[in-house]
Every structure is written in C-alpha cells, then in structure tokens.
Amino acid sequence: MRHGGQGRGVRRRWLLRAGLGLLAVLVLPCAAFLALDRLCPPDLSRLETVGQVVLDREGRVLSALPAPGGVWRLPVGPEEVPTHLVDLLVAAEDRRFRRHPGLDPLALGRAAFQWARAGRVVSGGSTLSMQAARLLEPRPRTLRSKAIEAFRAAQLEWRLGKQGVLRVWLTLAPMGGNLEGVRAGALAWFGRPVERIGVAEAALLVAIPRRPEALRPDRHVLAALAARDAVLRRRGAPALPEPERLAALAEPAPSARHPMPGLAPHLSRELARRAGAAPLRTTLDAGLQRGMEGLARDALRGLPDRASIAIVVADMGSREMRAVVGGEWLAEGRAGALDLTRAIRSPGSALKPLLYAMAFDRGLAAPGSVMEDLPRRFGDWAPENYARGFSGHVTAASALRQSLNLPAVALMEALGPIRFASALKRLGAPPRLPPGAAAALPLALGGAGITLRELVGVTAATGDGGRAGPLRALPGPPGEGEMVVRPQAAEAVAAILTQPFPEGGPEGVAWKTGTSWGGRDAWSVGFDARHVAGVWVGRPDGTAIPGATGRSLALPLLARVFGTLPAAPRPLPAGTAPRQAASGPVDALRLLFPPAGAVIEPGAVTIRAAGGRRPFTFLVDGVPLASGGPRREAGWVPAGPGFYRVTVLDAAGVAASAPVRVRPAE
C-alpha cells in the first residue's frame, strides 16, 4: 500500500513538473514578446506622416495635398477600397494571410530550402505583415533585417490586427517615383479615386510595388502590362466570369501620369491644416468649383498686370460655400499663394444695402422717401459722389440703386456708426478700423476693412430676410442665426437691387457694386432666390488700377457667375421691364406726357404717368412736386422758358424721365 502511494506521488510530481515546463514553454516566450514589444514598439511615423485628400459635398476629390517632402502618400484603409483590390493583393502576395499570426512557417521554410539549394534568394517568404513592417522601417535585404521584420510583423498583428496591417500596405506601398499607396497610385495612373478603380487597374496597383521603378507604366508600359496580367492570372485571384477576365486582360495600361487633383487650392490647404489624416469632406461642389476657376482664369486675360480675381459662391439658406476662388494659384506676379477671399480690403459702397435695410427697419427712411443728393458738409468732411456731380432730390430707392454717397452718409448719421458697426460684427464681419479709430460716418462709403467672404455673408442676410449666419466650408447643421433687420426691411432692399445686369446676364438677380478709394478694389455682390455670390478684382499689393470700378470690372464677372449657376430668379419688382423685352411689359412705368423732347407752351402743365407701382413721386430737375402719391398725374407750372428734366418715381424706385423745353412767352 505504501509502495503504491509513493508511485502515485512520483507520478503527480512528474505531471506537475511537466505542466510547469509546458507552461514555461508557452508563457515565457509570450512574456518575452510582450516585454520586447513594450521596450521596442514599432515606428508608425511613416504611416502617420501623410498628405491629405479634400472632398466635395458629394465625396468627389477636390484636391490632394502631398506629405512633407513632396511625397504623394495619402491615407487609405481596406474598408475604403474595392474588395477586388484586397482579394488580388492577398492572392498575389500572401494567400494564407488570414490564417497566420504575421509569420508563415510554410513560406519561410520554402524560401530557406530554395535559398540553400540555389545559393541565392529564389522566393522571399515574406508575408503581407512582414512587407508592412519593411514599408514602415525600410532596411537592407539581409538575414538580420528579415529577423527584425519577422518580429515587427508579429508586433503589427498584435497591435493593429489584419485590417491595420492592410492599411499599412495600402498606404505605403511604392507606386513609382514619389507615389506611395494605392490612393496616390490610382489618382496618378488612372486619374480617378481608388474607390472607383476596376479589376485590371487594381491588379496593376498590386503589381507595381514589386519593382516600382521597373514597372512604372509611364516608362515601362510592356513590363507593367505583363506584371499586371500575371496578377490577374494568379492562382487564388478573384473568380471572374470569362468575358470580364478577358476584358480586364485586354485593357491598356496608362502611358502617362495624370496631374494630381488641385481644385480650391487655397481653401484645401486652409482646412487641411486643421484636420486629421482622414479624407476631409467639404461643402464645395467640384463641378461648380472647376467652372468658377476657369471663369476667373479667362477673365484674368483681360486685366492689367499684377491684377487678380477672387470669387465666393454660397447657398443662401445653409450658408454653405459651393465655390471659393482665392486667386490664380501660385501665379507669378499675382500673389497666387495668397487667399484673396480672406484679404482685408475696403468695400467701397458694397455695404450700403445693409445701411439702407437698417434705416428702413428703424423708420428713418422708406424706398419712396425723397432724399437730398446735394453738396453738404458733415463736420470737416464734405463727401462727393464718384462722378463728382449731384442728382438733387431723389428717392431712397434711386439713391441706393445709383449708389449716391450723400444720402448714404446722411442715413449713417441718423442711424449711428456704432450701431452699424455692431450689426456688422453680429453678421461675422467686424469692421477693421485704423489703430485708435472709432466707427464713424465714413463707414457708409467703405471706411473700414472687410474680406470677400465676410461681405458675401453680409449680403446673404439681405437676401435671406435679415437673418445672420456666417459662411462655412465644412458640413454640419446650420445655425439658427439672429435677425439683424426685420424681413420687410431686407426684402425692400432686395427688391430695389433686383435689376437687369447692364451688359446682359440672367434675370432676377439683386446686385450691388463697390469701389474703394483710388480704384484699389472693385467689388460686386449679388443674390438670387437660392445663391449668394461675390467677386473682388484688384491688385493684391494694394496699388490702384486706373479707372477700375466695381461696375466695369467686377459686375460683368458676377453676371457670368450667376449665368453659370442653376437658374433661381427672384421675382422682378412690379414695373421693372425685363432687359430682353424691346417695348417692355404693359405695367412698366413710363411717362405719357410730356414725351421726351417735347416743346411745351408756357403755363400750367399736367404731367401724366402710366404703369409702375403706387405711390408716385413727380420731380422736375430733381425737385419734387406737391402732388403725386396714389395719383398718376401732377400739376407743374414752369418757372420760365428753358430746358427741364421731368421724372416720375414709383414705390419700387423705378424711374422714368424725359427732357423737355418750355417756349418763351409770345
């Protein structure tokens, strides 16, 4: 009995020792691996040092930006590429990728046997995980490097998993020249995003990294074709119907490299500096952006040296920018690296619509109010109109439409510059004043700095019922936006500004121009029922363009901008004749008597009007007559013989006038 008990004790001790030994065999290597992994973590800096892809609102590529050093290394993961690309990669490079922990003993054994027999490397035996390790930390092809790569492969599998290993390969695989990764390869070799490549194109991207310089299709097209076809015929490649396989094998390889996409270069770089590595989606529209850049490029040909153009187009309701042209990118002599939509410049008269809307909102004036455009001093300041003349008595609507300066300064005096500056700040356009200066009356004529983006945002408030809201380039829910003026006041100004373009363009657009002192900045902003847009023309260095005005330089370009946009016309104010109508509609405001060029006998005259919108104001040489209002006629007694100009204005500010002569008395 004692002997049997001793035997069982011995067996238990042996089993315990064997178990401890087996545990040591299993645990100690794992413990050693974990310790080494903590002491020597893999260097992922190359994977993290990447460029940026900027997308439009539909996910189309707007622009690609290189990584530091000019390398086109763009991040991409396996979930972002077609499944046939990953399937071709695994079939060509590592068929057991899904089943091994980073090292493939069968492949390594085969490679060692072939090396021993041939005395040279016949097959590498590298798994995709080992290739990923080599892409992260390139080393000379030695046995020591292989050992390090094997350890790193296990680390990557442990830390990143299979999807992470694929991400490394897809992002860093060399594609010839300064191209790395399948995203950059697809853009450069096929001119399309990697998400949209076909089977033949995917096979070429899998093949090139084996010998990236020898298989560049722009230099070695036949070798690239042969390597691609070998990938397509590889055992384990995705099963394709025979017609599709034959079609893939028949596809030509690209023979030249496509330029990287570069739309909206200024905005793309601005946003990329604040974003991570993932593709960045914006609110822009790639097609519209391309059109606006082409439009600006065409217009530059007719401008003086060193002049440049900036354009902003946005959706009225959401305030999302759809196109942003900051200038001619990197154009020599035009400060092409500067984003001129963010340059602080004087807006000239382009802020007058907000001034009039605020005045209407506070009852200081109405569209039909008669105002004086006559010489006047405001303290030590005596403003003048751009044309140096004066129009006498005019309605507020006419003063705004003609951009007269004296009525605007008078409104600013009544409203208060501080109140106007506060409204600009609430609209996201705080006026930039000289150091130590306070808001003053010159604000009415552009006496403060503003950017094109801010000016378009201010203009959007007029077109959107007085609602504030900053422009934005990144998607997200729109803000509520406070009301800066009441909708009735904003709509009154919008109706005044809705008029045909002088040199032709789409109907139903409200627009306003601005010219800074000396012709340094030419502006035009406008809106229809859906869009708001702004154009700036000038020299980035601030020097003047002789004779430049917003009406002559910026307004024709704004008309072309709205001609490019989908039509969304605002309703024309009653009494406004469409530009293309030769005789005008029946309700167009017109003078029935006296007709233009009439010779009138001295004595009482009855002036008669037709069409238009009540109430009416009748003027002779800018001086309003006592009668008018809802009536369509007014009495006038000429002061004596001579030439006079008779004018009628309706409630919308539409004018009709005629020059007449009064005979001397017999």
Side-chain angles (χ1 to χ4, degrees), residues 181-440:
V182 297
R183 188 180 292 281
L187 291 172
W189 297 128
F190 313 125
R192 66 170 60 93
V194 69
E195 291 88 347
R196 292 170 43 207
I197 62 172
V199 173
E201 294 164 330
L204 183 59
L205 294 183
V206 169
I208 291 175
R210 292 180 170 182
R211 291 180 295 148
E213 293 307 311
L215 296 177
R216 284 183 57 163
D218 59 338
R219 296 180 181 177
H220 309 285
V221 64
L222 294 179
L225 272 173
R228 180 203 70 181
D229 293 350
V231 171
L232 286 171
R233 294 189 176 101
R234 185 85 174 183
R235 185 164 63 92
L240 292 174
E242 191 60 19
E244 290 186 28
R245 182 178 298 278
L246 292 176
L249 291 169
E251 281 190 28
S255 57
R257 179 168 160 173
H258 293 262
M260 285 293 186
L263 294 174
H266 300 91
L267 182 67
S268 293
R269 282 157 177 79
E270 173 194 341
L271 297 177
R273 284 194 292 269
R274 300 178 293 175
L280 177 66
R281 189 178 290 252
T282 69
T283 64
L284 271 59
D285 181 287
L288 183 61
Q289 178 69 31
R290 186 176 292 105
M292 291 299 106
E293 291 184 14
L295 190 155
R297 197 172 300 117
D298 291 344
L300 275 178
R301 299 190 183 101
L303 293 180
D305 292 341
R306 296 182 290 111
S308 195
I309 291 171
I311 301 173
V312 172
V313 180
D315 179 85
M316 180 85 75
S318 67
R319 300 298 203 275
E320 292 181 347
M321 291 190 284
R322 296 289 185 250
V324 180
V325 180
E328 185 69 6
W329 177 243
L330 298 183
E332 187 176 354
R334 300 187 191 272
L338 298 179
D339 184 352
L340 297 172
T341 68
R342 304 170 68 195
I344 300 172
R345 312 296 292 247
S346 167
S349 297
L351 290 176
K352 286 178 180 175
L354 175 65
L355 172 61
Y356 276 76
M358 294 181 68
F360 292 171
D361 191 45
R362 284 167 172 74
L364 302 175
S369 299
V370 177
M371 306 185 72
E372 288 188 347
D373 182 42
L374 297 169
R376 178 183 171 186
R377 300 191 70 86
F378 296 85
D380 295 332
W381 183 39
E384 295 180 327
N385 289 317
Y386 180 82
R388 298 287 193 267
F390 298 93
S391 298
H393 290 82
V394 294
T395 64
S398 182
L400 174 57
R401 192 177 290 113
Q402 296 179 58
S403 200
L404 301 177
N405 287 342
L406 271 298
V409 177
L411 286 179
M412 182 65 78
E413 184 180 51
L415 179 69
I418 299 297
R419 182 178 286 114
F420 186 71
S422 176
L424 285 174
K425 186 174 181 180
R426 288 156 61 198
L427 285 164
R432 282 76 165 190
L433 300 166

Side-chain angles (χ1 to χ4, degrees), residues 128-196:
L128 277 174
S129 307
M130 293 173 68
Q131 292 182 36
R134 185 163 62 248
L135 292 170
L136 285 169
E137 302 175 65
R139 289 185 174 82
R141 305 293 291 272
T142 64
L143 289 176
R144 178 178 180 275
S145 297
K146 281 286 185 184
I148 295 174
E149 288 169 9
F151 172 67
R152 293 298 193 203
Q155 281 185 298
L156 294 179
E157 293 268 356
W158 168 259
R159 287 172 171 259
L160 307 180
K162 295 295 183 182
Q163 293 293 91
V165 169
L166 287 172
R167 179 179 294 275
V168 173
W169 195 99
L170 294 170
T171 300
L172 301 181
M175 293 290 162
N178 63 342
L179 303 172
E180 292 187 9
V182 297
R183 188 180 292 281
L187 291 172
W189 297 128
F190 313 125
R192 66 170 60 93
V194 69
E195 291 88 347
R196 292 170 43 207

